[in-house]
Amino acid sequence: MSGGAPLPLNAGGPDGADPATEKAMRSAFVGNIPFESTEEQLRDVFNEVGIVISFRIIYDKDTGQRRNYGFVEFRDADTAASAIRNLNGIEFMNRNLHVSKAVGHVKEQQGQMGGGPPTDNN
């Protein structure tokens, strides 16, 4: 017998961390995004510090209008921290990007905004 109690089904990774928290630690909030920019252009900027898993510009759920912020997810937390250190304040399309930890922003936005362009469900 192993002697240890079984892990709950939502235990997360081997250290018991919540998967959503782990994802937030690998991610960065990106603000002041120019409205004319594309996710592909932004992905290229963030690929300078490490491999980008995803980049998501946020859209308002009710109006479908694009917001001027988004989230970039990297392979690990160290790369996200490097992006925050090295890309915060960088000029991109005549605007200075604001790059910071995603952890607080993710909880703040849950249920308020949607990711990706709106779809027509009619």
Side-chain angles (χ1 to χ4, degrees):
M1 193 157 194
S2 68
L7 289 174
L9 293 177
N10 63 351
D15 59 0
D18 175 40
T21 301
E22 287 180 8
K23 182 175 181 175
M25 296 300 293
R26 294 190 312 267
S27 301
F29 169 84
V30 183
N32 204 30
I33 296 173
F35 286 102
E36 64 274 9
S37 65
T38 66
E39 287 184 3
E40 186 65 29
Q41 290 169 322
L42 289 156
R43 182 185 287 267
D44 290 344
V45 170
F46 285 89
N47 270 325
E48 294 294 319
V49 295
I51 297 171
V52 172
I53 302 299
S54 68
F55 196 101
R56 184 173 58 116
I57 294 174
I58 303 301
Y59 289 80
D60 186 287
K61 277 186 179 179
D62 296 326
T63 66
Q65 291 183 331
R66 179 178 156 164
R67 309 297 290 194
N68 73 335
Y69 64 92
F71 295 91
V72 58
E73 181 186 357
F74 294 97
R75 186 174 291 178
D76 56 54
D78 289 339
T79 306
S82 177
I84 293 166
R85 278 192 313 274
N86 295 303
L87 298 178
N88 185 39
I90 190 173
E91 186 176 328
F92 174 70
M93 299 178 81
N94 298 316
R95 295 184 84 166
N96 293 332
L97 295 179
H98 171 72
V99 184
S100 62
K101 291 182 181 179
V103 177
H105 294 285
V106 170
K107 290 184 184 227
E108 182 179 297
Q109 295 305 318
Q110 284 179 340
Q112 293 180 19
M113 302 290 169
T119 58
D120 186 11
N121 293 330
N122 292 335

